[in-house]
Amino acid sequence: MSTAQAAEASTAAARDKYRSFLHDEAEKIQWRHGRPPTYDTVNQLFEEGRTKEWPKGSLEGTVQNAIKSWEMELTHKTRLQDFKSINPDKFKLIVNGREGLSAEETLKAGSYNALLKNSLPEEFKFYKAEEESFESSHEAFRSAFPRGFAWEVSSVYSGPPLIAFKFRHWGFFEGPFKGHAPTGEKVEFCGLGTLKVDESLRAEDVEIYYDPAELFGGLLKGSSIEDSTTAQGCPFSKKT
């Protein structure tokens, strides 16, 4: 095998089969962490836990990969000019009927904050997106789900330009989350969405509907780390 063939084979092996644009002109992209991300761990979780395996080229597989690609760009690219999965000038993200976020607003907030922001009274907020930064929000969920937070399309009800779909999100709560100890249990939730695309299949409007309580019900099951530490106490202070 020639050097050129070896390089081509290496590039092909490195490509992520679920996310477009990950290695296209990677050297010209301004990556958040200096280089393209690696999804090997979460891809394994996805393949082991998915409920549907869509044929290559199917509408369902295309929609699934398009949204995974958008999430990858939103999480790992820092400039809208580098995005290929959305139309930055028209893009709008609407979650559970809230006021839509522009592409710039979504990029600044980050995917978790954009999806979890709500208008509940303070005492009922499981997660306060307005107090989290892009970095702190991603760190909180990376901590809770060390193997990643897998996502799949479970059904597609209509094709482009207005795509309606059902999705499922899951991971294993194996690390601490906001003062709650991990349970090791699977945490998952399902939801519905619509995706309006242009003639180049770039997203213009994304609407997502789901129940955040399904997510936080699993994450808040873990005992309070502070309470657990206090209960254990210092062994030398216990009465004998």
Side-chain angles (χ1 to χ4, degrees):
M1 182 183 289
S2 67
T3 302
Q5 289 175 321
E8 184 177 349
S10 176
T11 300
R15 287 185 179 275
D16 188 298
K17 58 185 176 181
Y18 302 116
R19 296 165 182 83
S20 305
F21 321 127
L22 184 51
H23 296 281
D24 294 351
E25 301 180 322
E27 71 283 354
K28 299 180 181 180
I29 303 299
Q30 186 169 299
W31 298 100
R32 190 172 298 278
H33 302 292
R35 62 183 183 278
T38 300
Y39 284 93
D40 293 348
T41 302
V42 74
N43 282 349
Q44 181 178 349
L45 178 68
F46 166 72
E47 290 173 353
E48 292 173 349
R50 61 187 168 186
T51 59
K52 303 285 181 65
E53 186 171 354
W54 302 115
K56 185 175 181 180
S58 65
L59 175 61
E60 293 87 353
T62 300
V63 172
Q64 180 171 266
N65 291 5
I67 296 175
K68 285 178 181 284
S69 298
W70 166 64
E71 188 280 332
M72 175 275 294
E73 291 193 308
L74 177 60
T75 301
H76 294 283
K77 294 181 178 181
T78 60
R79 302 182 303 185
L80 287 178
Q81 68 193 63
D82 293 331
F83 280 47
K84 297 183 178 181
S85 62
I86 70 169
N87 182 335
D89 296 329
K90 294 185 177 181
F91 182 83
K92 189 76 70 175
L93 173 65
I94 298 171
V95 180
N96 288 339
R98 295 197 317 268
E99 182 178 354
L101 297 176
S102 68
E104 191 66 52
E105 290 170 329
T106 304
L107 177 60
K108 181 178 179 180
S111 55
Y112 287 114
N113 285 337
L115 291 170
L116 294 171
K117 185 177 180 181
N118 62 74
S119 56
L120 289 171
E122 289 297 311
E123 62 269 25
F124 297 120
K125 285 187 178 181
F126 304 119
Y127 175 91
K128 298 180 180 181
E130 63 277 7
E131 296 180 4
E132 301 286 346
S133 65
F134 183 108
E135 291 76 15
S136 69
S137 64
H138 280 267
E139 181 55 38
F141 285 92
R142 275 196 298 266
S143 170
F145 301 118
R147 287 189 280 161
F149 202 19
W151 190 93
E152 72 169 344
V153 160
S154 50
S155 297
V156 173
Y157 306 110
S158 62
L162 184 58
I163 302 164
F165 61 93
K166 183 178 181 180
F167 67 89
R168 172 175 166 259
H169 221 334
W170 76 98
F172 287 87
F173 185 18
E174 297 168 327
F177 177 79
K178 297 290 184 182
H180 290 269
T183 63
E185 297 178 0
K186 180 167 67 176
V187 174
E188 65 180 301
F189 67 92
C190 297
L192 299 170
T194 61
L195 176 66
K196 182 183 178 183
V197 298
D198 63 16
E199 63 278 0
S200 300
L201 296 182
R202 297 182 303 168
E204 294 185 343
D205 289 309
V206 179
E207 293 195 37
I208 300 294
Y209 297 90
Y210 74 103
D211 182 0
E214 292 185 6
L215 167 63
F216 290 108
L219 291 174
L220 301 182
K221 280 176 66 175
S223 60
S224 169
I225 293 175
E226 182 178 346
D227 290 345
S228 298
T229 303
T230 303
Q232 292 174 3
C234 173
F236 299 107
S237 67
K238 294 181 179 179
K239 296 181 180 179
T240 58

